[in-house]
Amino acid sequence: MTKRKNAVYGRLLCGLLAVLMALMLFPAGTVKAEGEVAQITKNGVTTPYATLDAAIAAAEDGDTIVLLGNATVSTTLNKSITIDGQNQYSVTSTNVRYGFSTGTDLTFRNVTLNFNYTIEIENPTYTSDLSLFYVNGDTNFTFDHVNFNAVNTGATNRLHTFYYDGGSVGTITISYSQFNVTGFPEDVFEWSGNTPNLNIQNSTVILDSNRSGITGTWNVTATDSSLTVTNSTGNGSNGSNYYLTNSNVTYTNNGSHGLSSTDLVLKNSKVIADNNGYYGVYVSRLFTIDSTSTMEVTRNSKEGDFAGLKITSGVTDGRLHLAQSLQ
């Protein structure tokens, strides 16, 4: 083979390698041009956008926005859309709050989310409490393979993370994710009426140094997960139902109640309640713990005459709900 042919083959090989590298970085349908941050593909046509705000404004219910780079967001998220970070990119929001109405289903997938608050936040639309995600209707959120970070260092009152207002209901699903919320002056998950659902699957959830972790009556289902609520100025939990399977739940150093629940059902799970101001664990209705589960309740009732563990029963429709221990 001549030197000239070698040179030609060498250039062809370099070109093929360059194409392969581009395909690995940007799979088919997600090729990024200069200045593009997101795109929407619909009916076989892909439309790129210079900002995530622009993509959200153009999106219709059911659309998927694919990120092509790290993005910021300041526009409303009140649409039934999916935002996919391709396991590479992040979305950052600073000092913005979002409202959601009936029928909204918002999904984040394969993305890092950074929600930061550095100043006092006013409420431009609603007269009720503020929140990062304010829900007025039946609204669902899904966090699938998401690294979620919400940090407040500026707001001092009336700022929740998720607030389901007056009769609102829906489901928050945290799946294969890392979920961290720190420093909110109000509650991370607050209910104000009906019973919404909080599903935690194969995830780690840490709620640290907020006013409260989970307030009101939520149906909290944790499977193959870890839930930690610590350093709350008020209750770690206040009256939700907990259904735990293969999970570890820890309530420590909360100013008032630790894990205060209506139902508490454990299957191959562990509950730790340590150094809470009032009850370490309080169960007002159904308590079920199987033979593979454990509870450690220590150093609670530091703020008064409260039991470390209190289990009560009540009569409903003529039936007595008693504490149970299933072996």
Side-chain angles (χ1 to χ4, degrees):
M1 185 178 292
T2 65
K3 291 183 178 180
R4 183 176 179 180
K5 287 184 177 179
N6 282 335
V8 171
Y9 286 128
R11 287 194 295 272
L12 287 173
L13 181 59
C14 289
L16 286 172
L17 288 174
V19 171
L20 288 173
M21 291 180 66
L23 289 173
M24 291 174 64
L25 288 173
F26 302 104
T30 62
V31 177
K32 177 185 178 184
E34 188 65 29
E36 295 174 359
V37 170
Q39 68 179 27
I40 299 173
T41 300
K42 186 181 300 185
N43 299 324
V45 177
T46 298
T47 304
Y49 298 90
T51 67
L52 180 55
D53 283 355
I56 293 170
E60 298 177 342
D61 286 349
D63 283 350
T64 295
I65 299 173
V66 177
L67 297 184
L68 306 176
N70 295 330
T72 60
V73 61
S74 60
T75 190
T76 180
L77 291 170
N78 189 14
K79 291 184 177 181
S80 294
I81 58 176
T82 296
I83 298 177
D84 191 331
Q86 299 195 84
N87 287 317
Q88 300 182 68
Y89 302 119
S90 65
V91 174
T92 299
S93 171
T94 303
N95 299 324
V96 179
R97 58 176 299 277
Y98 306 97
F100 296 87
S101 58
T102 301
T104 302
D105 297 309
L106 178 64
T107 298
F108 293 99
R109 181 176 296 138
N110 306 322
V111 68
T112 294
L113 300 176
N114 300 309
F115 297 99
N116 304 311
Y117 291 89
T118 60
I119 61 175
E120 294 288 0
I121 304 297
E122 296 301 325
N123 193 337
T125 305
Y126 301 98
T127 58
S128 184
D129 281 357
L130 298 169
S131 67
L132 167 56
F133 294 134
Y134 175 89
V135 177
N136 185 15
D138 301 342
T139 298
N140 302 310
F141 298 94
T142 300
F143 300 91
D144 179 19
H145 290 82
V146 168
N147 184 5
F148 181 102
N149 304 289
V151 179
N152 171 62
T153 58
T156 60
N157 66 349
R158 297 182 61 235
L159 181 63
H160 304 74
T161 313
F162 293 87
Y163 187 84
Y164 274 67
D165 200 4
S168 300
V169 70
T171 298
I172 299 174
T173 300
I174 302 170
S175 179
Y176 293 93
S177 296
Q178 176 76 37
F179 207 89
N180 300 279
V181 180
T182 303
F184 276 65
E186 295 293 337
D187 312 322
V188 179
F189 300 101
E190 179 160 333
W191 147 100
S192 178
N194 291 331
T195 305
N197 304 299
L198 175 58
N199 294 336
I200 306 171
Q201 305 163 357
N202 299 92
S203 296
T204 298
V205 175
I206 301 174
L207 314 179
D208 187 359
S209 300
N210 307 288
R211 188 186 77 164
S212 180
I214 303 172
T215 299
T217 307
W218 292 75
N219 289 324
V220 181
T221 302
T223 306
D224 299 309
S225 296
S226 172
L227 167 64
T228 299
V229 182
T230 185
N231 300 318
S232 304
T233 57
N235 297 312
S237 174
N238 183 22
S240 289
N241 301 309
Y242 288 84
Y243 307 104
L244 313 176
T245 303
N246 303 326
S247 296
N248 294 325
V249 174
T250 302
Y251 278 76
T252 60
N253 302 318
N254 298 293
S256 299
H257 295 303
L259 196 159
S260 174
S261 64
T262 302
D263 291 350
L264 178 58
V265 178
L266 282 71
K267 297 179 181 179
N268 193 34
S269 296
K270 183 176 183 178
V271 169
I272 296 175
D274 179 62
N275 203 37
N276 299 290
Y278 296 173
Y279 299 112
V281 176
Y282 184 105
V283 185
S284 64
R285 191 170 60 186
L286 176 66
F287 174 55
T288 299
I289 177 170
D290 69 5
S291 61
T292 61
S293 298
T294 62
M295 296 182 64
E296 296 179 7
V297 183
T298 56
R299 299 190 304 165
N300 299 286
S301 188
K302 61 184 180 181
E303 297 298 330
D305 187 17
F306 299 91
L309 171 64
K310 183 173 182 178
I311 302 172
T312 65
S313 60
V315 176
T316 303
D317 296 330
R319 293 178 297 174
L320 186 66
H321 294 271
L322 296 174
Q324 301 178 49
S325 180
L326 302 181
Q327 303 299 321

